[in-house]
Structure formats: C-alpha cells, structure tokens
Amino acid sequence: MQPAGLGIRIGTPMRRVEDGRFLRGAGRFVDDHPAFGAAHLVVLRSPHAAARITALEADAARAMPGVRLVLTAAGIGELGVLRCVTPRHRRDGRPIAQTPWRMLASDAVRYVGDAVAAVVAESRAAALDAAEAIAVAYEPLPAVTDIAAAVQPGAPAVWPEFAPDNESFLFRLGDTAAVEAGFARAAHVVRHEFRITRVSANPMEPRNALATYDPIEERYTLVTGTQLPHVMRNEIAEFALGVPSNRLRIISPDVGGGFGMKESPFQEYVLCLHAAKLLGRPVRWTATRTESFLSDSHARDNVSTAELALDAEGRFLAFRVSTLCNLGAYLAWQGPVSSTNNVGGLAGVYRTPAICTEVRGIFTHTQPTAPYRGAGRPEAIFAIERCIDLAADSMGIDRVELRRRNMIPPEAMPFRTGLDYTYDSGDFPKNQALALEAADWAGFPARRAEAASRGRLRGIGLANAVESAGGPHRGPMEEAAEIRFDSGGSATLLMGSHNHGQGHETVFRQIAAEKLGIPPERLRVVCGDTDLVTHGRGTIGSRSMMAAGGALVGAAAKIVERGKRIAAHLLEADEVDIEFDASAEQGGVFRVAGTDRGLGIEALAKQSYVPGALPMGEELGLAATLVTRPGDATFPNGCHVCEVEVDPETGETTLLRYVVADDVGTVINPLLVKGQIHGGIAQGFGQVFGEAIRYDPDGQILTASFQDYPMPRADDLCAMEVISNPVPTATNPLGVKGAGEAGTVGALPALLSAVVDALHPLGVRDIEMPATPERVWRAIQAAQG
C-alpha cells in the first residue's frame, strides 16, 4: 500500500479510480439495477407540432395481451405539473405565466413528441403494440418552430391565453444610457447578427427510470440518472406527487453523462412512480435514441444582434446585445437560466466600460430548452469574440493586438466589469501570451503558405474566455459533505455533489487524503442516494470543487478538531498540546507536541467507539457533517487557439491543432482538469461543425437519429494541449474556480474564427454554424463567383 502523504497530495495527476469498473463494463447504471417482476412503460407521443386533441380512445389498448395499465390525462388528475423555478417578468412587469406542463397532454399538444398517453405492460414489445392501438383524434393547427418567425406579426401563438405574441419574458441588464453615450462618441461600430444553433445533449446513457412503491411505508423509490438527486426528490415529491419529501427516495447510480440535461424533472419519472403505486410492482422506462431526440430537453437556439463601439485607437467604448431565446413550447424547470443568468459573460476579459443586453424569451412549437454545458456562457463569449474579430478586420488592426489593447490587466483585480460581474483574480494577458507561444502563432503565415501550395486553405482562430462558475454570483448555492468513520476505523465520504463522468470519486479521495492523511484507496465515496446522503445541491454549473470540495475541507477540519479532543483524553494530555500531522509517512497522526507520543487517525477512530475509552457523557464515534455555502462564484478563464485546414473542393474542415491556456484556480488533479477541458472542446466542436436540431415547416423534427444529427467522432479531433496558468481564488478554501464547462465556453468562437480565417483570403468574413462541408463549400463558391 502506498503510504499516506506520498504521491496523493492536491495537484497530483492521480488516475481515476472509477475507470477500473467502467473499462471492464462493470459500471452500475439504472438499467443494471435488478427489479423482479418489473413492468415496462411506453409513452405515446404526439405526431403533430400543434393540434387540438378532440378524442382519445384507449379501451382497445387496455384489452390487449400483457397490458396492465393505460394512463391518460383524464385519469391522472391528482398529479401536479412540471414547474419553472426561474423567476422572470413579462414586458409589463408581471411575473411570467407558468405554462401548465402536465404529465400527459389533455386538450392540446404543442410539439412533436408531447406526451399524450402511457402504457404499462409485461414487456416493452407489448406496451409498444398497445400504444399503437390507442386512437387519438387530432385537429392540426398552424405551427411555428423558428424563433425569428415566431415573433413576426400573425405568427401562430403557442399559448394564446398567456402570450399571444409568443413572448414569455423580457429581461434587461446594464446601463443603457451609458451604452448609448459610448456609441454616440464612437469612431467605429461593428454590428454582427448571428444564430446559435439548437442542440441535443445525447449522453451515452439515455434517460431512464425504475420506480417502486412500498404500500407499508407509503413510500416511493425512483432509480434514475440525475445530476441533482436531492433537488429532484423535493421537486417531484412536493409538486408532482403531492407528498412530503421523505416519502420519496431517489437513487442515482453511475450516470452515463448529463451535461445539464439531466438536472430537470421529467414526465416519464412521475408516470413511472404513479404506475408503480397503482400496480404494486416495479415499473421501468428507458428512452430509445429517437425518443430522446423527441423528449429530452434541447438547448441553446437563439438569435442575437451584437454591436461593439470603439474609438479611433480601437479601445472598446460600449457593447450591446439583443437576443431572442427559444424556450420551446413549455417553460422547462430552469428554462430561462441559460439566456439570462450568465449574460455577464458578455464583458469577456475586457475593460469595456458600458454594456447592456436585452433578452426576449420566446415560445415556439418545439421541445423545451434547458441548460446544457456552458448554459449561456459560450453564447456570451461568442458574441464578444466574434465582434472583436470583425472589428479588427474592418479597422485593419491585428486581432491579437486589439484584444491585448483592451484586456483587463492582473493588477486591476478585483475588477468590476461593465456588466454584472466582479472578477476577483486572473491573469488574462498571460493566458493569451502562453497560448500564442504554444500554438506558434508567429509561425502561422508559413504554415498557411505551405497549405496553399497543396491547394488547401488554412486558418487560425483565437478566443479569450471567462465564465461565472459555481452558481449565482450573488450568493452561490450551498453544498454538503459528511465524513463518517465506522467502528473499524474506516472512513466514508458522503457527498451531496454527484458524479456523472467528472471523476469525483477520485478527486474527493485526494482532498480527504491530504487533509486527513488517509490513503485514498482506504476511503469510500458515497453519493447519489437521498436516503444515505443527508443533503446535496448536486452537480451543475462547474460547482463541485468549489462547493462540495469546500464543504469536504470544512468537514475534515471538524474531524481534526474533534480528533484532537479525543486524542487529548486517550494520550492523557491537554487538548492545546495536541497536534495533527496529515503528511506523516505512516498516515495522519495526532501527537502530543514535542514528544513522540501519538495515535493514528484510523486507530483513534476505532477507539472513539470503544465503551469506556472516552469520558462519561462524551459522544462516541468520529464523524462530521457540514452544509456550507461558498463565499462567491468563481471566474475560470483561458485563451483558446486552434488551427484548421479546409479543402476548397469539398468544404471539409480538418482540425489540426488546439491549444488552451487555462486558469481554473488551484488544480486538484491535472488529469481530470485536462479531461474536462478536452470533453468541453469536443462538444463545442460538435456544435460548430455539425450538430443542429432542424424542423420542417410543419414542425416535424428532421434530425431524430444519428444518421441526420452528426455527433463528433474521435478521429474528427486532434491532440489538445492544455497549459495551466492557475491564479487561485480566495472565495473558497481550495482556491478552485471550476473546469467542467471551460472547454465549451471558448471552443465555439475559437473554432468558428479559425474557419472564417481560412476563408478570409477569398473575401469571406463570416459563416453561420454549423460549418458543415456543404455550408463551407457554398461560401467558397459564392466568394469565388
């Protein structure tokens, strides 16, 4: 066994302990959980984007072999609705209307895939057959799926009674008067209209559920892959089932990817729970891939106009952005978050003194949209970085120099930006310098000339990214950690943050190993079970290390404090004379200062349970729980540089090089940080070069399979170099800033910038996402023509 304190400290590139089971196919996901006698649920979904339901007949389905239950809206009136918990206001100041998103549609459907009925049968095949036998009469209505079309006069209204003009909310932020003044004195103004495409998360493990009901305890259990077990428990119990939270247990085992999509409650989970109670047996549901495209939350999908005002020397004076955000047909649980909660990112890493933004939330006949990796941050950085590229081009200023000229220097920290955020730390100029050097920016002209000699177009892209991570910057959300020693001296970490690919089991062991001097292999990590873990806010927004890691550090400090009191009694010394050394070769040791008398922490934990070992009246055992809130959000930042080559004959783009210089604060585990950044870049690559949900004029989704929705493959990407430029923050005990979304935030503008730069010699100044071979080829043909 590797001695504690050697090779396990914070900053060590420790390999992920989770990978042992995943690589052997031994992970335990929802579908791996046994449930004797489980029935199978299938959802009947609307084939229309907009229609009235004039009749529904399910008797034939109920009579089919193997069918145990058919649920329709008429029979589940006791169930609640799915809420939106993000407060926003309408144009007249009233709160946004809560669209009644019921578990099953009753009078109308509002997108292709809207749930209409559910069948539970002995097998999935029997349930599918019965679902086809349900006769639903629809009266089709005009539909609108495009966000720009939805705000035109006379567009079909998704909710005529709530939003006849399809506008759900109007959100404004910033000093409009100061921005107008900046534009009035500007020597140059650049205006950029762009669309951020609609995407689907597509995790490896589709959404699924296994529900049971205990009639003795009158208690439900839901096994599902979710990022927020405790939050989802409260939401489903109190607002969908109408029962106290302690009547619902949620177990979230290994989760095959979430990316924000799996933070929300969904109809299928509630339907499974309700059916399990009615039937008195377990009920399963697992989405097919096509069903996922039709029922998962989508993301992004907005249209913006951005304007940047500059003086004659190229210094930024003001920036304003107007955005239409596609909410879909219903307000998702946190539907407005992405378009409004991270707009402060529009400031980027620059000193722009005045910034304002206006966001209109718009209903369309499409699936509801919800947060997805980045959740508004990539869109904000895309706006400012693309405008800088366009301004540099039109003013004849080098784009690196234009950025350098306007960048916030490290000595200005803390820096209050022109919109909403105050950056506490960071060295943005160093990020850019490191990335440019590693990418050999100076040598690019020679590489471009060499590519041209082969008939290829070579381009290089640059983007500086910064984001708010860890939760609302006006008071981040709380998180919980518990350290529990058992009578055998072993320690278990019970974490409110949940692991769905980040490597939490590894990194939390590292933190506890350093703070307590226990070899990581002797620590057990438990998460994702609301009965075992007291409390948790969950894993979203790149918050786990700052929030859960900080809570773990605090819980470890409480363990040490109590351990000193116990050690003082066992070693017959004053408590003030007890020291704790977590870095000792033999492991964490409580010692009497100035002597060799000591007791290891695991041995002390054993003694803490021995009757008579502690004074009469002293609480036995060694454990500590901490529910705490970080001091503030953090601001991870970095510079992305990438290089691409375009084949002008086909329009195909090849990614050749990608370099990131990133500041995520204290780096707990370099391997995990790099993995997170690589994954984020891959998702950004997917959106830039192919991923896009598309609809036909009637609202039918055209990209409901991987034949039509291109996901990035491993060979589409190149080796990625990640350079660390850590500037620890003082807002949390570990000094971490968050890394989970950093790759995506910078990837969108950097990659598109590289493509545009490749086409720049032909006169192309911009190209819409996704930059598919066809779109790139057409841009080349138009430029040459």
Side-chain angles (χ1 to χ4, degrees), residues 346-550:
L346 291 169
V349 299
Y350 308 106
R351 296 190 302 266
T352 315
I355 307 172
C356 69
T357 185
E358 176 184 280
V359 180
R360 297 171 63 192
I362 305 299
F363 289 120
T364 62
H365 291 103
T366 62
Q367 280 165 251
T369 55
Y372 168 71
R373 199 170 195 168
R377 304 171 184 89
E379 297 92 315
I381 296 301
F382 187 93
I384 182 61
E385 291 295 308
R386 288 297 297 135
C387 280
I388 294 173
D389 276 357
L390 292 168
D393 183 56
S394 61
M395 296 181 71
I397 302 175
D398 179 78
R399 46 191 168 142
V400 171
E401 172 57 28
L402 185 58
R403 287 173 166 85
R404 187 183 293 122
R405 202 172 290 180
N406 289 281
M407 203 170 283
I408 301 165
E411 59 269 19
M413 300 296 178
F415 185 86
R416 176 70 179 175
T417 72
L419 187 70
D420 206 27
Y421 291 165
T422 298
Y423 302 149
D424 67 293
S425 60
D427 191 340
F428 307 147
K430 186 177 179 181
N431 285 341
Q432 182 168 283
L434 287 171
L436 293 176
E437 181 181 3
D440 187 21
W441 184 276
F444 174 73
R447 295 192 297 277
R448 170 174 264 172
E450 187 279 329
S453 71
R454 294 182 285 106
R456 298 292 190 266
L457 302 170
R458 198 169 182 125
I460 193 166
L462 166 73
N464 288 296
V466 64
E467 57 171 315
S468 173
H473 58 283
R474 297 184 189 90
M477 297 174 289
E478 83 291 345
E479 194 49 89
E482 179 181 359
I483 303 173
R484 184 190 304 162
F485 284 85
D486 56 41
S487 58
S490 300
T492 298
L493 314 178
L494 299 102
M495 306 300 300
S497 179
H498 189 32
N499 184 15
H500 48 275
Q502 295 87 344
H504 288 180
E505 294 176 42
T506 303
V507 73
F508 288 143
R509 281 181 168 95
Q510 274 186 274
I511 295 170
E514 171 157 312
K515 300 302 179 183
L516 298 177
I518 301 173
E521 64 270 18
R522 291 184 60 82
L523 293 164
R524 179 171 177 250
V525 179
V526 173
C527 66
D529 189 327
T530 59
D531 271 12
L532 300 180
V533 179
T534 303
H535 178 71
R537 178 62 65 170
T539 301
I540 51 173
S542 304
R543 67 185 301 273
S544 290
M545 284 307 100
M546 62 170 287

Side-chain angles (χ1 to χ4, degrees), residues 234-256:
N234 298 350
E235 188 69 22
I236 291 177
E238 297 176 20
F239 298 100
L241 298 175
V243 299
S245 295
N246 64 4
R247 296 291 181 87
L248 173 61
R249 176 188 187 184
I250 287 187
I251 300 171
S252 187
D254 288 331
V255 179

Side-chain angles (χ1 to χ4, degrees), residues 55-64 67 70-72 117-119 130 133-136:
L56 190 153
E57 177 54 59
D59 288 346
R62 291 187 174 96
M64 292 181 70
V67 173
V70 176
L71 299 175
T72 64
V119 177
I134 298 175
V136 185

